[in-house]
């Protein structure tokens, strides 16, 4: 691996890293949608806190230094800070939900940032020739392979991973990406390790819990829609 590739991977924000883990390198699809986008929203909160822009006090996210540079792409950070600053201090779950909402366009913002870095190319197509879809064609497979290798080593190692790696593993676990990082015999142990990492930091734990809560709400909403559709279908509506 080249030093430039290593530096590029280390410079990526948590949402960008999650996209690299989730993207199918051959088909350009994001695995785990929409749950992965909820985890990416948690990554935005963690990057704001890690960079000193925001703090989590009494369970609420507060912006302290809005112009301080973080690992987040510039425009994404500006949009996230603007969103958080337009309201009174709210809990982590609230902001994970808001940043994952379609109107914030988190997926599009992260894909555009990775495209600017030359990591992937965004393509627009139509599924079945009708429905518009977006594909994210991986251009830098080495960056993805390095990121996956780092995550895998941290999952099986006994040493405490670096903070950024811990955060990525917690978010990857919440996004349902463990199967991509661990072989079947090691998956139970990998999930247990992620659970331990989640409990070792108050902010990581709060974000991990918030992501799980929002994902549960999304699943419940999708079930309600499915039930409504089934009931409507039985009545010929």
């Amino acid at each position: 691996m080249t030093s430039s590739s290593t530096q590029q991977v280390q410079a990526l924000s948590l949402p960008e890293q999650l996209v690299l883990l989730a993207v199918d390198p051959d088909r350009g699809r994001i695995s785990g949608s929409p749950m992965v986008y909820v985890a990416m929203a948690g990554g935005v909160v963690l990057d704001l806190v890690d960079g000193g822009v925001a703090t989590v006090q009494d369970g609420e996210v507060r912006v302290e230094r809005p112009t301080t540079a973080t690992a987040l792409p510039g425009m994404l950070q500006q949009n996230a800070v603007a969103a958080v600053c337009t309201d009174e201090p709210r809990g982590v779950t609230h902001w994970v939900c808001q940043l994952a909402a379609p109107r914030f366009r988190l997926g599009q913002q992260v894909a555009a940032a990775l495209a600017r870095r030359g990591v992937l190319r965004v393509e627009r197509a139509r599924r079945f020739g009708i429905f518009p879809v977006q594909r994210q064609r991986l251009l830098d497979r080495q960056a993805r392979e390095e990121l996956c290798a780092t995550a895998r080593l941290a999952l099986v190692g006994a040493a405490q991973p670096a903070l950024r790696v811990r955060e990525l593993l917690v978010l990857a676990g919440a996004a349902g990406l463990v199967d991509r990082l661990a072989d079947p015999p090691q998956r139970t142990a990998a999930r247990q390790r992620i659970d331990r990492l989640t409990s070792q930091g108050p902010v990581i734990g709060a974000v991990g819990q918030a992501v799980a809560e929002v994902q549960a709400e999304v699943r419940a909403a999708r079930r309600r829609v499915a039930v409504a559709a089934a009931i409507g279908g039985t009545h010929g509506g």
Side-chain angles (χ1 to χ4, degrees), residues 44-81:
V44 173
V45 175
L46 285 173
D47 273 327
L48 291 176
V49 173
D50 290 346
V53 169
T55 59
V56 176
Q57 301 175 11
D58 300 323
E60 295 179 335
V61 180
R62 300 173 183 270
V63 173
E64 304 286 349
R65 296 188 290 273
T67 59
T68 300
T70 71
L72 290 168
M75 187 56 65
L76 174 55
Q77 177 175 327
Q78 291 178 32
N79 291 337
V81 168

Side-chain angles (χ1 to χ4, degrees), residues 59-215:
E60 295 179 335
V61 180
R62 300 173 183 270
V63 173
E64 304 286 349
R65 296 188 290 273
T67 59
T68 300
T70 71
L72 290 168
M75 187 56 65
L76 174 55
Q77 177 175 327
Q78 291 178 32
N79 291 337
V81 168
V84 176
C85 287
T86 57
D87 205 346
E88 60 187 18
R90 299 291 192 99
V92 176
T93 301
H94 173 84
W95 288 116
V96 168
C97 184
Q98 294 300 308
L99 297 175
R103 63 179 173 274
F104 188 71
R105 301 175 64 84
L106 177 57
Q108 291 91 328
Q109 293 189 66
V110 174
L114 285 170
R116 287 192 294 271
R117 293 182 189 272
V119 176
L120 55 77
R121 180 177 65 250
V122 178
E123 297 179 351
R124 302 191 183 280
R126 289 189 177 274
R127 185 181 299 169
F128 309 123
I130 301 173
F131 305 106
V133 294
Q134 180 174 285
R135 296 283 184 258
Q136 301 181 20
R137 301 298 180 187
L138 192 62
L139 300 178
D140 190 344
R141 290 181 178 245
Q142 187 174 13
R144 182 179 186 276
E145 290 169 1
E146 180 177 340
L147 184 64
C148 289
T150 299
R152 290 189 183 106
L153 286 174
L155 279 177
V156 300
Q160 178 81 325
L163 174 62
R164 297 288 291 174
V165 178
R166 291 206 310 271
E167 292 173 336
L168 177 62
L169 291 178
V170 169
L171 294 172
L177 300 175
V178 171
D179 289 359
R180 292 193 164 210
L181 300 174
D183 294 329
Q186 287 80 43
R187 286 172 184 169
T188 297
R191 292 186 176 92
Q192 292 173 345
R193 179 159 172 77
I194 289 175
D195 288 341
R196 291 193 296 271
L197 294 175
T198 303
S199 66
Q200 291 173 2
V203 177
I204 296 177
V207 171
Q209 180 180 352
V211 169
E213 290 175 359
V214 175
Q215 288 176 335

